[in-house]
Amino acid sequence: MSVRRRRQGRRDLTVLLLGFALAAHRSELRLLDWTDLEEVEEGLAVEVWRPKVNHEGLLGVPYGSNPATAPSVRSAPGASA
């Protein structure tokens, strides 16, 4: 399997887990951009645009304990993706 395919698979899994953690619709996930994600002490803070809900502010996604199933995990200092 090529490096590119593994990265695409990792990206797809991350988006799927993030969508589950946020209870987001596909349309909401599609509109996410890197600027919508912020790493905070507890995990990730995500700004999600929800067209039918008057929602303002960030949604939290806490760090998980299992890297295989957690949408946000702490990476080791200096580690590359």
Side-chain angles (χ1 to χ4, degrees), residues 9-24 29 32 34 37-40 42-46 48 59-75 81:
R10 188 179 304 160
R11 176 205 60 201
D12 294 347
L13 179 61
T14 301
V15 170
L16 181 68
L17 291 171
L18 184 61
F20 182 77
L22 294 170
L29 289 174
L32 283 179
W34 284 112
L37 301 171
E38 180 183 347
E39 190 170 10
V40 294
E42 299 84 15
L44 292 176
V46 185
V48 178
L59 298 174
V61 179
Y63 285 120
S65 58
N66 183 347
T69 59
S72 64
V73 292
R74 284 190 177 93
S75 59

Side-chain angles (χ1 to χ4, degrees), residues 2-56:
S2 71
V3 172
R4 183 176 179 185
R5 300 266 305 166
R6 284 186 295 214
R7 286 184 180 164
Q8 288 173 339
R10 188 179 304 160
R11 176 205 60 201
D12 294 347
L13 179 61
T14 301
V15 170
L16 181 68
L17 291 171
L18 184 61
F20 182 77
L22 294 170
H25 295 184
R26 287 180 295 182
S27 60
E28 295 164 348
L29 289 174
R30 184 175 54 85
L31 294 172
L32 283 179
D33 193 45
W34 284 112
T35 58
D36 298 326
L37 301 171
E38 180 183 347
E39 190 170 10
V40 294
E41 188 175 329
E42 299 84 15
L44 292 176
V46 185
E47 181 70 41
V48 178
W49 185 73
R50 298 206 167 178
K52 295 184 180 181
V53 178
N54 293 330
H55 173 76
E56 291 185 20

